[in-house]
Amino acid sequence: MLHRHDHAAPGVRGCIRIGQVVLYHVEEMRQWLRHRALAAIKTSQAVSADTAAWLGTQTPSLHDRFARVGLATPRADAAAKEVTLDAFVREYIEGRAKLRPNTIRNLQQSRRIVAKHFGKNRKIAGIGVGDADAYREGIIASYSPVTVAREVKRARQFFKAAVRRGLIASNPFADVKGGSQVNSAKNFFVTRETAAAVLDACPDNEWRLIFSLSRFGDCAAR
């Protein structure tokens, strides 16, 4: 455990737990704290290039501990870990103002579905492949297969944007199969008897021609 006592700034004190490391590494950290980082803080100057380079060699968790007590600048990836999924998706949709209103409305609906499942305060960096699989299984109980396929596709779209933004390293939805977005349950075969009834109901020959081509055109081509 290393203690920071900044006598130039009364009341500012920090404690850094470094875990189990070899003794010479502890002494190296102690010297850095005393002669480099604290000196820079006392003089309100940036740390030197070699000190910044030394910081860059530390593990992300140890660097975060230095940052929490004011001895280093938080890394960009540390800030990214605090971004919630709902906040990111909201910003993503707002940034696509050129989309048609209906498309934006559909994306907002998908945002609400995602937020309902994961929770509005869920950090996007903490969502993994298992969570993505659970999301698909979770919405199967509430939505039709077509809707499930569409929502998985949109979730994949949201996380792909997060990867491009540098918030996460990979897309947890990349290999999640949503299924077909074609609802075959709505298919209906028009029999010849039904076609004859439709032809009788057509108001004129033009309509009869249009219907006949749509119903029998493909059959004639064969």
Side-chain angles (χ1 to χ4, degrees):
M1 183 184 297
L2 296 177
H3 294 273
R4 164 195 161 179
H5 300 280
D6 186 351
H7 300 295
V12 178
R13 178 173 296 183
C15 174
I16 305 172
R17 297 183 181 275
I18 60 176
Q20 294 182 346
V21 297
V22 294
L23 183 60
Y24 80 87
H25 197 186
V26 175
E27 184 58 30
E28 179 185 39
M29 291 183 187
R30 191 187 306 277
Q31 293 301 320
W32 174 77
L33 287 172
R34 286 180 177 175
H35 304 300
R36 297 184 179 184
L38 290 180
I41 292 173
K42 290 176 181 179
T43 58
S44 300
Q45 295 179 353
V47 296
S48 62
D50 59 335
T51 299
W54 182 85
L55 274 171
T57 65
Q58 306 308 303
T59 63
S61 61
L62 189 55
H63 189 284
D64 289 346
R65 293 172 191 175
F66 286 139
R68 281 198 292 270
V69 295
L71 296 176
T73 302
R75 288 175 172 170
D77 56 351
K81 292 178 182 178
E82 298 304 313
V83 177
T84 65
L85 173 60
D86 187 59
F88 169 74
V89 175
R90 186 189 301 273
E91 180 184 346
Y92 169 74
I93 296 173
E94 291 174 353
R96 307 193 67 192
K98 292 184 179 180
L99 293 176
R100 291 179 297 180
N102 190 54
T103 301
I104 293 178
R105 183 164 54 252
N106 291 336
L107 289 176
Q108 291 287 9
Q109 173 63 21
S110 296
R111 179 185 65 80
R112 287 188 286 271
I113 293 175
V114 167
K116 180 179 179 180
H117 177 85
F118 288 107
K120 288 190 174 183
N121 296 322
R122 182 71 177 272
K123 302 296 191 297
I124 191 170
I127 298 175
V129 174
D131 298 307
D133 289 332
Y135 173 76
R136 180 184 181 278
E137 295 302 317
I139 63 176
I140 283 177
S142 303
Y143 300 97
S144 68
V146 174
T147 302
V148 170
R150 184 189 65 214
E151 294 309 321
V152 168
K153 180 180 179 181
R154 287 183 182 157
R156 188 183 302 121
Q157 175 184 346
F158 295 151
F159 279 86
K160 181 179 180 180
V163 172
R164 293 174 63 87
R165 196 78 61 86
L167 297 178
I168 53 177
S170 59
N171 188 343
F173 280 84
D175 297 322
V176 178
K177 305 300 181 183
S180 175
Q181 290 186 254
V182 177
N183 190 354
S184 58
K186 293 184 177 181
N187 291 347
F188 178 78
F189 179 73
V190 180
T191 64
R192 289 183 177 274
E193 291 75 13
T194 302
V198 173
L199 285 172
D200 289 341
C202 288
D204 52 43
N205 288 334
E206 182 179 1
W207 277 98
R208 293 188 185 92
L209 176 61
I210 293 173
F211 178 78
S212 297
L213 289 175
S214 62
R215 172 58 181 85
F216 302 107
D218 185 54
C219 297
R222 294 178 183 177

